[in-house]
Amino acid sequence: MKTKILFFAFFLFQTITILAQDMASLKTEALKSYKASVNMNFDDIFATTYPKVFDIIPQDQMKKMFGQMMENEQFSIKLVEVEPNFSFGEIKKIEGKSFCMVNYNNVMTMKFKEPMDDAESMVDIFKTSMEADKVTYDKLTNTFRIEMRSTLIAVADDLTKNQWKFLNKDKENKMFSMLFDAKILKALGL
């Protein structure tokens, strides 16, 4: 009986230790992903991205898309480094994969190259389409500042050698549903 109790205590300790290490590595990797995005360091962004994404959009194509999105004829976007104030959901094990929802503060500026005639309606559009918490417009610089909580979906599985990699959660979960089945979507509440 004493042996069974000792075995159970050891098993419980090991489980708690593994989960603590998992969360510690998740926090470290989430910060790396955040810093890579803010600094627009494509190599680091790609290193922290869930690799199956590149089966859908090759890295060179993604780099080109990012470049066009961040700077084009109409506007330029810059990500502003702020305290991310991460909040981590429960780590869920589904079909041999680990998942965790990671929410964080995300701030960007969007500077338009032509003067804005109706900045107020743009503020409302940004609030709705980006689910932004706060949008301000600086008429002098023709720049919007957009503040929101964003979500990364962390994934660790055989493909990532059980290292945490990330997907940006979009409104309709389009990218996630291209990579994972309906059972996983449902289990994560997506």
Side-chain angles (χ1 to χ4, degrees):
M1 181 70 167
K2 199 174 192 181
T3 307
K4 286 182 182 178
I5 293 171
L6 270 163
F7 177 76
F8 178 74
F10 177 74
F11 178 76
L12 185 63
F13 176 76
Q14 286 294 97
T15 303
I16 291 168
T17 302
I18 288 168
L19 287 175
Q21 287 172 336
D22 237 12
M23 186 55 77
S25 67
L26 176 57
K27 288 177 180 180
T28 300
E29 293 305 310
L31 186 58
K32 276 186 201 173
S33 179
Y34 174 78
K35 294 271 191 189
S37 294
V38 166
N39 295 320
M40 288 308 294
N41 182 325
F42 291 115
D43 293 334
D44 289 349
I45 290 170
F46 296 156
T48 62
T49 299
Y50 187 68
K52 266 192 172 178
V53 168
F54 305 119
D55 293 344
I56 297 167
I57 307 167
Q59 287 185 19
D60 57 335
Q61 191 178 341
M62 189 178 284
K63 191 182 279 191
K64 189 176 178 182
M65 283 173 29
F66 274 145
Q68 291 171 345
M69 181 179 69
M70 301 306 278
E71 180 80 41
N72 56 53
E73 310 82 49
Q74 286 117 15
F75 58 80
S76 63
I77 296 174
K78 290 202 181 349
L79 299 177
V80 179
E81 187 168 356
V82 295
E83 178 56 50
N85 288 324
F86 291 113
S87 63
F88 296 88
E90 170 190 351
I91 295 175
K92 294 184 179 183
K93 304 259 187 209
I94 308 162
E95 295 181 3
K97 302 172 188 324
S98 297
F99 296 92
C100 185
M101 306 303 266
V102 182
N103 296 309
Y104 65 98
N105 292 335
N106 191 6
V107 178
M108 68 178 72
T109 60
M110 190 174 207
K111 181 179 175 122
F112 281 83
K113 297 186 177 166
E114 297 292 321
M116 297 299 300
D117 294 330
D118 193 11
E120 280 307 308
S121 68
M122 288 298 288
V123 166
D124 293 336
I125 288 168
F126 288 138
K127 281 185 177 179
T128 304
S129 66
M130 300 172 93
E131 298 178 343
D133 300 319
K134 183 178 178 186
V135 179
T136 55
Y137 175 67
D138 181 345
K139 189 173 183 172
L140 187 65
T141 61
N142 204 34
T143 303
F144 291 90
R145 180 181 168 95
I146 303 161
E147 300 176 30
M148 64 195 121
R149 287 290 283 172
S150 293
T151 303
L152 290 171
I153 303 171
V155 184
D157 61 12
D158 290 342
L159 182 64
T160 68
K161 297 180 176 93
N162 288 313
Q163 302 297 310
W164 290 107
K165 301 296 177 184
F166 301 91
L167 295 165
N168 286 313
K169 182 185 178 313
D170 59 86
K171 230 178 190 178
E172 285 90 38
N173 304 307
K174 286 181 184 171
M175 180 61 76
F176 193 85
S177 56
M178 292 168 86
L179 301 172
F180 299 99
D181 63 37
K183 180 182 173 189
I184 292 174
L185 279 156
K186 186 177 180 185
L188 292 174
L190 300 175

